[in-house]
Amino acid sequence: MRSRMHPKYYLSQEIFEREQAKIFRKAWLFAGLKTMLPKHNAFITRKICGIPVVIQNFDGEIRAFENVCLHRNALIQSGVTGCRPLACPYHAWLYGEHGEVKNIPECRSTYLIGKAEQEKMRLRQFALRAIGNVLFINMDENPFPIEEQFQPHVIEMLESSSNLYDSEVMLTTFHCRFNWKLAYENLRDANHPRYVHRNSLVKDVTFLPMVDTELAAEGLRPLADTSPAALRAEMRRFSTAAAEAPLSHPKHLPFHDMVERWGDQDAYYNWLAYPNMHIACPNGGYSFTLEHHIPVAPDRTDLEIYWFTARKKKPYAFSSWNLLSHMHGSRLVTGEDIDVMERVQAALHEQAPLPTQGAYEFQNRLVERWYTALMEGDHEI
C-alpha cells in the first residue's frame, strides 16, 4: 500500500504554516500540568503558534493569556516557570485575573490614559480546559468543545490517571531535527520496538502489531464528508488511551511502596492526544513520562519531556534521585526514537519515493487521509 504523504509535507515551509493555521490554531493542544501551578500567582509560559502565552493561577482559578504587555509589547512573565503577580517588569503595568489592567504607575501624570479607555484594555485570553491535572489550550477565538476532539474513554482514562500525578516534576527539552508528524507515525507503529528498542524497551515489554483489514481498506478510500463537524469526528479517532502491552517481567522497585499506584494492571500504558502530546507509563501505574511535541520548522521539533511518579503517600528522601533515574532510563529509549526519526528526515527530498506501508499501519493511513484532505482543500476543523 502506498502512502498519501508526499515528502513535501515534511519539507515545505508553506505547508508548515498551513498546518499552524489549520491544526495548531484550531485544535486543543497540551499546554502544561496543573500540578506545576500549586498556588496563587504560580505560572508557566510557552510559545504556541508563535504567540507567547502565560498560564497562571489566580487564587485557584487557572487562566491563559497572551504574554505580551499592552504598553510596549514586552513579555510580562519571562521565566519558564515562576510565582509572581502578572506585572510587566518593563514599566510595572499590573494585570488582574481577567487580563484587565489593574494599575498603571503614575497613569494620570505620565500616560494621560483615561479611566474609560483603561477599562477597555485587556490581555487576549485563550480557552483553557483541565482534564484532571493535564491542561489543554485552544488558540481559536471560537473553540469547539474539547469533547469533539477526544473520545469519552480517552478523557476518562486521562482524567483518572492524571489526578494521581505527583507535583514533583523533572523537565528537559530536546531540539530535534525531524518533522513533528514523524513522531506520531512512530508512536503508532507497534512494529518498530523489536528493532529500534531491542536492547532497551523490549526487554520488559512485548509490543505486537495488529492488522485490521477493514480499517486498512477504509484508509485507502477518500473521505466522503469534509465538513468541519465530520473532520473533527474523524480526528477523534487519532487519540487513544489503553494498556497497550503486558509487562514481560514486572519489577517491584523501592519507590513503588512510596506512591499511590494508578490502576492494577502490570501493563505498559499509552495515552496519545493528537496532535502534540504522548504519555507513557512503562511500569503499570507507578510513574509517567509525558512527551510534548512542539513544531518549530518543517524539519525541526522541540521535544519537551516531563518525568513524574504517581502521587507520593508521603515525602521520601530519594524522590529526586528516583526521577533522575527515570529520566536516564527514558532518555535511552527516547534517544533511539530521535535517532531513527532524524535519519528518516535526513533522507527526505522532493523526489523521494512514497513509502510503501503495511496493513498494520492502518492508523497512520487514516490520519494521512484526514491530513491531506485538510491541507489540500478549503476545509477547516
Side-chain angles (χ1 to χ4, degrees):
M1 292 189 291
R2 290 286 184 182
S3 169
R4 286 183 173 84
M5 296 296 279
H6 189 278
K8 67 182 181 181
Y9 293 115
Y10 305 84
L11 299 169
S12 164
Q13 179 64 30
E14 188 274 329
I15 289 175
F16 177 81
E17 291 170 4
R18 213 183 304 170
E19 291 173 345
Q20 294 288 292
K22 289 194 163 194
I23 300 176
F24 288 90
R25 292 196 181 187
K26 295 289 184 179
W28 289 91
L29 308 173
F30 168 76
L33 293 174
K34 193 176 176 182
T35 52
M36 297 179 70
L37 301 166
K39 57 185 178 180
H40 178 57
N41 278 336
F43 69 84
I44 56 177
T45 63
R46 53 184 62 259
K47 184 172 277 192
I48 303 173
C49 299
I51 300 172
V53 174
V54 57
I55 301 172
Q56 187 149 332
N57 184 331
F58 298 91
D59 287 316
E61 293 293 326
I62 298 175
R63 296 187 172 92
F65 298 103
E66 187 166 7
N67 187 26
V68 177
C69 182
L70 299 176
H71 175 215
R72 292 285 299 279
N73 289 353
L75 290 176
I76 302 171
Q77 304 289 26
S78 56
V80 176
T81 62
C83 187
R84 61 183 293 274
L86 194 58
C88 180
Y90 197 177
H91 296 91
W93 283 36
L94 177 67
Y95 298 88
E97 61 181 314
H98 299 292
E100 76 279 13
V101 177
K102 286 188 70 174
N103 184 56
I104 301 174
E106 302 176 356
C107 183
R108 290 185 179 181
S109 62
T110 305
Y111 293 91
L112 303 182
I113 296 175
K115 183 177 179 181
E117 183 181 357
Q118 183 175 324
E119 287 177 349
K120 295 177 184 178
M121 300 169 66
R122 287 179 182 267
L123 299 174
R124 180 158 53 141
Q125 185 170 357
F126 301 107
L128 196 70
R129 175 75 180 269
I131 296 180
N133 271 306
V134 181
L135 298 172
F136 290 91
I137 194 169
N138 194 298
M139 308 297 285
D140 193 60
E141 290 184 2
N142 299 295
F144 58 82
I146 198 169
E147 290 79 8
E148 293 184 21
Q149 183 168 332
F150 303 124
Q151 298 181 60
H153 82 274
V154 173
I155 292 176
E156 180 182 355
M157 194 167 161
L158 181 58
E159 183 171 23
S160 170
S161 57
S162 68
N163 278 332
L164 274 184
Y165 288 175
D166 193 61
S167 59
E168 186 178 9
V169 179
M170 193 165 286
L171 171 65
T172 193
T173 302
F174 294 90
H175 303 292
C176 306
R177 299 186 301 275
F178 60 76
N179 183 279
W180 68 275
K181 293 184 291 297
L182 291 178
Y184 292 92
E185 293 167 13
N186 185 66
L187 286 166
R188 297 187 201 98
D189 183 349
N191 195 34
H192 85 275
R194 70 178 82 184
Y195 307 109
V196 176
H197 307 303
R198 61 183 177 275
N199 294 318
S200 55
L201 187 58
V202 296
K203 290 182 178 180
D204 299 310
V205 189
T206 301
F207 293 94
L208 296 175
M210 182 184 71
V211 173
D212 188 316
T213 54
E214 286 190 16
L215 290 179
E218 181 185 345
L220 296 173
R221 300 190 294 268
L223 282 171
D225 188 348
T226 54
S227 67
L231 288 171
R232 291 198 295 270
E234 185 71 8
M235 184 170 58
R236 289 179 98 209
R237 305 167 74 179
F238 308 156
S239 297
T240 57
E244 189 165 301
L247 300 178
S248 306
H249 308 288
K251 301 172 183 177
H252 186 83
L253 299 175
F255 89 92
H256 291 178
D257 296 325
M258 309 293 183
V259 303
E260 300 176 29
R261 179 186 185 183
W262 176 77
D264 57 5
Q265 295 186 60
D266 290 329
Y268 188 103
Y269 293 99
N270 259 330
W271 291 261
L272 183 62
Y274 185 84
N276 76 330
M277 186 193 77
H278 168 241
I279 303 172
C281 175
N283 51 23
Y286 292 104
S287 67
F288 303 86
T289 301
L290 187 154
E291 297 181 1
H292 176 204
H293 301 85
I294 306 169
V296 177
D299 59 349
R300 295 289 186 274
T301 299
D302 280 353
L303 174 55
E304 286 184 349
I305 303 190
Y306 301 69
W307 292 274
F308 44 91
T309 67
R311 187 167 54 225
K312 300 183 189 75
K313 296 176 181 176
K314 59 181 180 180
Y316 58 97
F318 61 93
S319 61
S320 296
W321 175 89
N322 181 45
L323 285 183
L324 189 61
S325 175
H326 274 77
M327 182 184 76
H328 285 302
S330 175
R331 285 180 70 169
L332 172 62
V333 177
T334 302
E336 291 167 343
D337 282 325
I338 290 173
D339 178 66
V340 74
M341 289 185 287
E342 289 188 337
R343 284 191 277 120
V344 170
Q345 185 73 38
L348 287 173
H349 57 93
E350 284 286 343
Q351 286 76 44
L354 294 180
T356 302
Q357 296 177 327
Y360 81 94
E361 296 171 277
F362 61 90
Q363 287 182 313
N364 279 334
R365 285 307 304 267
L366 292 172
V367 176
E368 290 169 2
R369 177 179 69 160
W370 172 87
Y371 171 89
T372 52
L374 183 63
M375 288 298 108
E376 297 306 326
D378 294 327
H379 316 303
E380 291 188 357
I381 57 173

